[in-house]
Amino acid sequence: MSSSLVESPVADTVDKLIADEEQVFLRRQPRSSELIAEARVHLAGGATSNWQIAEPQAVWMSHGLGSKVYDVDGTSYVDMHGGYGAAIAGHAHPAIVAAVSDRVRRGTHFAQPTEDAIWIAGELSRRFELPLWRFANSGTEATMDAVHLARALTGRDRIIKVEGCYHGHHDSVQVSVLPEADEVGPRERPNAVPGNSGIPSAIRDLVIVVPFNDTGAVARALAEHRGQVAAMILEPVMMNAGIIAPDDGYLAVIRDMLHGEGAFLIYDEVKTGFTTGPGGVTARSGVVPDMVCLAKALGGGISVAAIGGTETVMSAIADGRYEQVGTFNGNPLAMAATRATLTDVLTPKAYAHLDELATRLRGSLEATIATYGFGWHVVTAGAKGCVTFRREPVREFRDFLQIDARLGHLHWLMQHNGGVFLPPWGKVEQWLLSVQHDRDDVDRFAANFARFAEAVAP
Ligand SMILES: Cc1ncc(COP(=O)(O)O)c(C=O)c1O
């Protein structure tokens, strides 16, 4: 994570506070420390994903219920981590427990379709205004299929990708995900920076990187590679660099430019899909792309993904020009959980509740920020939100690089030690509210935030 230290109110105080809070954090979690040591024997790095490793240590979990999660030391937290944006249902939601329990008793895997898939595809068509759908198992698989489809349909290899967007861990999109300030190159022609080791340079060379919210950069990319661009993929609201909203008109303009050059527009709504509203940014913006990728919140806590597309795009699947496959695609357990999520969890009433909580939380945080005159921004999009620790608004990834990463880390620690679990990547991630959260939950967050603000005030 980049840590360009620019606008910290009191730099030395922040370092000292981080050290103190990390000690508190470790003292509260002796059982996690033991399990990490034990895990290291046969689990590489002592974790099941590198993203579960946090500073000062990973938190091992016991269970979750409602809006709370419980770690292996028996400590409870208001869960605003949400399993990296998946747990919009909260934990052990009765409708999902019932649907999954019923399905488990009737067999969980056949690699043959079950009727729930038809209902879900219809419901996704209604919400996202795209007629045809397929299922997969993770956000990575969904964006991989979308990029493959665009290449299959156009016979072109290049794609345009936004600097700072994350689309999963397949080769084509592991480029300029979270590059450091000294790697990004000139703004008008950003470097294509490898997002991981093991990505062939031949694949990386197919990616044209552009800044977010810059239609001119997309026009230039298309003009310089005329007839070679299959698609542009982006998170229509960026959510792997805090939260960055698109400027008015941005999405419509890039869609028209891409279509003018025979290329497709792909929205990666893996994070934004159901958290920003019932039909994601697609419905909110009214700018419907050629393909939408969904995952995370779709399955109510069970692994599932979906790809939606226009008749033109999805005809390549329907007639076999592109083989969209997977042993677990449309898995009955995932379908049962997904159907329950769309029917009983993500209802209009639930969205009204989420909006009410988001407004309340935002108001409290803004009042605290005003008290201390920090000029930071509370950025919310439906059930998602974050505080941007910077006076100037963030419009693209390079602005985000300017944010003092230590404030995000300290905030995470102080929330955690104060009983609120946030995703452990400081300024990169956001909170997620669930339908089972209540006013007391958001007020706890606000109280911790006030304590944090007081601590870093000059
Ligand atoms: C926007 C976005 N797309 C794709 C992915 C990849 O999803 P998964 O981890 O399910 O493969 C993520 C994961 O965080 C994401 O945030």
Side-chain angles (χ1 to χ4, degrees):
M1 215 187 303
S2 164
S3 61
S4 60
L5 218 186
V6 216
E7 295 181 43
S8 169
V10 270
D12 294 343
T13 313
V14 172
D15 284 336
K16 167 87 172 58
L17 286 166
I18 288 175
D20 292 349
E21 292 289 332
E22 288 195 344
Q23 287 312 308
V24 175
F25 187 101
L26 290 171
R27 274 202 301 278
R28 282 159 56 92
Q29 293 169 37
R31 184 64 188 138
S32 276
S33 308
E34 284 170 13
L35 288 177
I36 290 165
E38 203 180 307
R40 284 212 172 101
V41 178
H42 292 297
L43 262 180
T48 58
S49 158
N50 281 35
W51 287 355
Q52 294 164 9
I53 303 169
E55 289 300 327
Q57 73 174 16
V59 185
W60 285 63
M61 304 308 290
S62 159
H63 63 284
L65 190 61
S67 64
K68 310 289 188 306
V69 285
Y70 299 79
D71 72 15
V72 285
D73 285 289
T75 306
S76 75
Y77 306 83
V78 173
D79 182 21
M80 289 173 64
H81 179 318
Y84 284 127
I88 196 167
H91 299 283
H93 189 290
I96 294 174
V97 170
V100 169
S101 308
D102 174 64
R103 187 68 250 181
V104 163
R105 280 192 284 271
R106 295 189 295 127
T108 58
H109 184 67
F110 316 113
Q112 295 295 319
T114 52
E115 277 189 45
D116 283 340
I118 301 175
W119 185 90
I120 296 164
E123 176 63 7
L124 293 178
S125 303
R126 188 183 72 75
R127 289 183 184 230
F128 289 85
E129 298 170 45
L130 285 166
L132 288 164
W133 292 81
R134 271 289 176 94
F135 298 109
N137 305 287
S138 68
T140 296
E141 287 183 30
T143 63
M144 182 183 72
D145 273 325
V147 170
H148 287 170
L149 258 173
R151 287 177 169 153
L153 281 152
T154 57
R156 304 170 179 179
D157 285 343
R158 290 190 196 277
I159 58 168
I160 300 176
K161 180 192 171 288
V162 169
E163 191 166 58
C165 277
Y166 178 63
H167 303 297
H169 54 278
H170 61 96
D171 293 3
S172 297
V173 292
Q174 269 288 358
V175 178
S176 296
V177 173
L178 203 56
E180 300 286 344
D182 59 357
E183 297 176 311
V184 291
R187 186 188 174 282
E188 59 284 1
R189 219 169 284 276
N191 293 339
V193 181
N196 200 348
S197 51
I199 310 299
S201 56
I203 305 264
R204 196 172 74 230
D205 291 346
L206 298 175
V207 180
I208 308 157
V209 180
V210 294
F212 192 58
N213 272 330
D214 186 341
T215 54
V218 178
R220 192 163 55 236
L222 288 167
E224 287 178 1
H225 301 90
R226 185 140 284 147
Q228 299 172 39
V229 175
M232 174 167 172
I233 183 167
L234 82 166
E235 301 171 66
V237 172
M238 286 181 70
M239 284 201 182
N240 283 284
I243 298 178
I244 312 179
D247 289 346
D248 285 348
Y250 173 68
L251 298 172
V253 170
I254 59 172
R255 181 183 61 180
D256 292 350
M257 288 193 304
L258 289 159
H259 287 177
E261 294 293 334
F264 294 107
L265 177 63
I266 304 168
Y267 283 173
D268 176 349
E269 290 230 50
V270 166
K271 264 191 165 172
T272 54
F274 300 95
T275 57
T276 57
V281 180
T282 301
R284 267 173 89 121
S285 66
V287 183
V288 180
D290 300 287
M291 281 174 257
V292 167
C293 304
L294 303 172
K296 293 203 191 256
L298 174 63
I302 305 273
S303 171
V304 70
I307 310 119
T310 59
E311 297 272 358
T312 305
V313 168
M314 300 304 269
S315 67
I317 294 179
D319 65 19
R321 274 174 292 150
Y322 176 66
E323 303 261 25
Q324 196 272 337
V325 297
T327 301
F328 280 90
N329 287 9
N331 169 264
L333 191 66
M335 293 290 99
T338 300
R339 185 170 183 164
T341 303
L342 294 175
T343 310
D344 297 319
V345 179
L346 299 178
T347 60
K349 200 169 151 211
Y351 281 106
H353 175 63
L354 290 167
D355 283 348
E356 197 252 316
L357 292 183
T359 305
R360 182 181 178 92
L361 179 55
R362 188 191 177 109
S364 304
L365 301 180
E366 283 175 343
T368 298
I369 292 168
T371 300
Y372 293 98
F374 287 134
W376 301 332
H377 300 273
V378 183
V379 190
T380 56
K384 287 274 197 173
C386 67
V387 178
T388 302
F389 299 111
R390 183 175 191 261
R391 281 184 186 275
E392 297 78 27
V394 171
R395 285 189 63 250
E396 59 168 270
F397 179 74
R398 289 179 189 219
D399 299 336
F400 164 83
L401 278 177
Q402 299 298 312
I403 301 169
D404 182 351
R406 299 171 323 150
L407 287 176
H409 183 51
L410 177 62
H411 178 236
W412 179 72
L413 288 166
M414 291 184 77
Q415 288 287 359
H416 206 279
N417 292 338
V420 176
F421 206 141
L422 281 175
W425 289 94
K427 70 177 186 173
V428 173
E429 284 287 337
Q430 324 71 38
W431 70 67
L432 175 69
L433 298 167
S434 87
V435 301
Q436 299 195 68
H437 280 71
D438 61 21
R439 290 177 178 182
D440 288 347
D441 293 329
V442 298
D443 289 352
R444 164 107 54 119
F445 185 109
N448 288 338
F449 184 79
R451 197 166 65 84
F452 160 80
E454 187 184 0
V456 300

